[in-house]
Every structure is written in C-alpha cells, then in structure tokens.
C-alpha cells in the first residue's frame, strides 16, 4: 500500500474518500477502486466511502469485461460475459 506510513490515511476517512475521487477524476479507475475498497475495510461505518466503492464496482465491472475481451480475445468466457451484458 502506498499510503501505509501516512497518518492521515489511517485516521481520516475523508482523506481516503477525496484521494479515491481524485484518482477517479484522473481516469485511474482501477487505483480509485483499490483505494475505495481499502477505505471501506478501514472505515466500515463511512457511507460516503461505501457509496463510492459500490459505484466504482458497478461501473468498472462493465469496463473490465471490455478490457478483458480486448486483452484476451480467445477466451470464450469473457466473450460470454460481454454478450450477457
């Protein structure tokens, strides 16, 4: 984890939320999702973090399948998931 030595990372859920939002705005959805997931685990009572995490999971799921089909066009399971969308 990049922020494991940062006191704000461990004590301030709004810092984690803002950082995940900034990553998302910068187009780095995978890192944003990772930060949000770590934030939810660290601050389980923060509804803003959970809402961001849920939204990222939902939107990244569709994108991940498309990326997977591009990377692995011969994998039938990925093509099936894409067709089921």
């Amino acid at each position: 984890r990049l922020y494991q030595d940062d006191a704000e990372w461990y004590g301030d859920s709004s810092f984690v939320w803002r950082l995940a939002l900034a990553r998302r705005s910068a187009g780095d959805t995978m890192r944003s999702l990772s930060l949000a997931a770590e934030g939810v685990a660290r601050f389980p009572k923060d509804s803003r973090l959970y809402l961001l995490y849920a939204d990222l999971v939902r939107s990244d799921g569709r994108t991940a399948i498309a990326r997977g089909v591009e990377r692995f066009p011969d994998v039938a399971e990925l093509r099936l998931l894409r067709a089921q969308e």
Side-chain angles (χ1 to χ4, degrees):
R1 298 203 304 230
L2 285 174
Y3 308 99
Q4 64 187 7
D5 295 329
D6 191 325
E8 280 191 84
W9 168 254
Y10 279 100
D12 185 3
S13 64
S14 356
F15 173 78
V16 178
W17 179 71
R18 289 190 317 270
L19 184 59
L21 281 176
R23 291 290 189 168
R24 183 185 205 179
S25 295
D28 190 358
T29 57
M30 292 187 71
R31 185 63 185 143
S32 179
L33 179 57
S34 174
L35 286 165
E38 288 182 53
V40 166
R42 182 122 190 97
F43 303 101
K45 294 183 180 186
D46 190 310
S47 61
R48 292 175 311 167
L49 270 172
Y50 193 84
L51 180 60
L52 177 60
Y53 167 74
D55 188 41
L56 285 164
V57 166
R58 184 182 60 187
S59 64
D60 195 52
R62 287 180 242 124
T63 306
I65 292 169
R67 279 193 309 257
V69 170
E70 285 179 21
R71 288 183 187 178
F72 308 103
D74 297 331
V75 176
E77 291 87 345
L78 284 170
R79 290 195 316 261
L80 178 62
L81 286 174
R82 187 178 196 179
Q84 288 174 343
E85 284 188 335

